[in-house]
Amino acid sequence: MSKSSLPTYDQLPIDPKYPAKTAWGLWGTGDNLGTLNLLTAERVAEASQCIKEGKVFPLNWELEKPSPPLFGRAETKHTILPHTDEHTGYDDRLDNFNPQASSQWDGLRHVAHFPTKSFYNGVSREELKEGETERLGIHHMARRGIAGRAVLLDYARWAKIHRPAYNPLERIEIPVEELQQVAEAQKVTFKEGDILMVRTGWMEAFEKVGSEGLAKMMDINHPHCAGVKPGDDTFRWIWNNHFSAVAADNFPFEAFPPTDWNNSCRKCCLNFDAPAIVLNNAIYIDSMFLGGWGMPIGEMFYLDKLAEDCARDGVYEFFFTSAPLNKYQGVASPPNAICIK
């Protein structure tokens, strides 16, 4: 692979006027796509060569799961509406629909960069709070479309052999050194612009116990799970591999909750005036990826059937497509994602 023209993690930011280690200004001060800019037409065309057998793997979990939703989010109500002449057919309606209740993309409005409390490329909280700007809305991702090469790191399967005490329903940190070991075991190599998907095993574990079983283990409004370890080592590895987006089968991508999770921190995603979350002087993953780099984060991606097929044929690369909801000024969206082998 030719040498990347992008700065390394240790070379960020591109201008000292920007916050440390951010990619602000890298694709222009008015950019709304962040690392999705890496999905060039040439890379999409090359990714199509991953299609060998035409096997299709949808990555959206059932819209009804988990039920009840985590973090006290509203449960979607589905109503079937007959036409005036009930013999001609039906419409339906969704009430209390939260785009982040099941499989989702966290868009660039979801979490600010801390400690600046500004969003990607310096967009202010006030602009977004008052609805005064179209900047960073999920519609930018939707109107562009997401397509490219995706790779799966099946950490859960690797951990059964190499980390037998691992439990995806507990707060266990997955260091990037182990993700690299998984890649090597699977013979996966990365290319600039890849969508990185990590199977933690959380969804498989949840399916076995369900919401009721999970509620017996923990407060589902403040649940625990295994995930990628936050910190500079992770940020350096993710950035230097120049992924265009990341996703996992758990609900936050990173290990959760943050180690200093408290009442103030719990408000951070919903309250613009809440304090910043900083872990041992390192910004947590949502803050750096979304607010610092403009990198979308996929959560609760359904990866189990895809992983089973990968284990059979040893192929962990795919052509990936995703069509987020085209909601003007939206914060998040179901991914409507598919992998094709």
Side-chain angles (χ1 to χ4, degrees):
M1 185 178 72
S2 60
K3 185 177 180 181
S4 174
S5 60
L6 294 174
T8 67
Y9 178 72
D10 292 316
Q11 291 171 333
L12 292 174
I14 62 169
D15 190 302
K17 69 182 180 182
Y18 296 127
K21 306 304 181 186
T22 69
W24 292 12
L26 184 59
W27 290 285
T29 57
D31 177 58
N32 293 295
L33 294 172
T35 52
L36 292 182
N37 284 289
L38 298 175
L39 293 173
T40 62
E42 293 77 14
R43 288 182 177 135
V44 175
E46 182 182 356
S48 70
Q49 302 305 306
C50 294
I51 302 175
K52 307 295 184 185
E53 301 180 66
K55 292 188 286 187
V56 176
F57 298 89
L59 305 183
N60 273 37
W61 202 15
E62 291 98 323
L63 197 60
E64 298 78 14
K65 293 181 179 177
S67 178
L70 305 177
F71 301 106
R73 288 170 172 148
E75 192 155 12
T76 301
K77 180 182 178 182
H78 181 215
T79 305
I80 296 177
L81 304 168
H83 292 172
T84 304
D85 180 352
E86 62 181 22
H87 298 290
T88 64
Y90 298 90
D91 290 341
D92 59 357
R93 182 182 69 221
L94 297 178
D95 296 307
N96 292 324
F97 174 56
N98 187 321
Q100 292 174 285
S102 188
S103 301
Q104 64 188 269
W105 281 120
D106 280 348
L108 305 190
R109 288 182 166 214
H110 181 49
V111 172
H113 173 266
F114 296 129
T116 67
K117 294 188 180 181
S118 293
F119 291 75
Y120 171 63
N121 260 349
V123 176
S124 74
R125 298 173 297 138
E126 288 72 20
E127 288 178 275
L128 301 185
K129 186 177 182 181
E130 301 301 327
E132 296 176 356
T133 181
E134 52 82 44
R135 291 292 308 277
L136 309 185
I138 202 77
H139 63 279
H140 291 287
M141 292 168 54
R143 295 173 190 179
R144 182 195 186 282
I146 302 172
R149 178 181 185 255
V151 293
L152 172 68
L153 297 185
D154 192 351
Y155 182 85
R157 197 173 302 270
W158 178 91
K160 288 180 180 179
I161 298 172
H162 300 281
R163 200 171 177 180
Y166 172 76
N167 180 352
L169 297 179
E170 295 178 359
R171 190 194 184 281
I172 296 175
E173 294 182 336
I174 300 172
V176 290
E177 294 84 1
E178 291 186 351
L179 291 182
Q180 185 63 46
Q181 290 176 45
V182 176
E184 292 168 1
Q186 296 177 179
K187 297 181 172 55
V188 169
T189 56
F190 303 127
K191 298 180 180 180
E192 189 164 290
D194 281 350
I195 296 104
L196 172 69
M197 302 189 299
V198 178
R199 179 174 173 265
T200 67
W202 180 85
M203 191 171 288
E204 180 183 47
F206 175 88
E207 292 279 24
K208 291 178 180 177
V209 301
S211 290
E212 288 187 10
L214 193 68
K216 292 177 182 177
M217 301 177 196
M218 63 188 73
D219 178 358
I220 63 171
N221 288 328
H222 308 109
H224 292 208
C225 74
V228 177
K229 179 182 179 180
D232 267 334
D233 289 345
T234 292
F235 301 153
R236 183 174 289 104
W237 188 80
I238 293 286
W239 177 264
N240 287 350
N241 276 303
H242 301 313
F243 299 119
S244 59
V246 297
D249 62 337
N250 64 4
F251 53 84
F253 189 76
E254 66 185 297
F256 200 87
T259 53
D260 61 352
W261 188 247
N262 54 42
N263 288 331
S264 294
C265 296
R266 288 172 185 166
K267 300 175 183 177
C268 74
C269 295
L270 303 175
N271 182 351
F272 282 86
D273 300 316
I277 295 179
V278 179
L279 307 179
N280 301 322
N281 298 318
I283 300 172
Y284 81 133
I285 283 178
D286 274 24
S287 175
M288 180 58 84
F289 289 13
L290 297 171
W293 302 339
M295 176 180 284
I297 301 174
E299 298 172 353
M300 291 188 281
F301 273 39
Y302 178 63
L303 303 175
D304 290 347
K305 285 189 177 179
L306 177 63
E308 288 175 9
D309 192 77
C310 294
R312 282 193 294 267
D313 65 14
V315 176
Y316 291 85
E317 63 172 3
F318 332 96
F319 183 70
F320 175 97
T321 69
S322 172
L325 297 179
N326 192 356
K327 179 65 189 80
Y328 181 68
Q329 295 182 323
V331 173
S333 171
N336 303 314
I338 290 175
C339 279
I340 309 176
K341 295 178 73 174

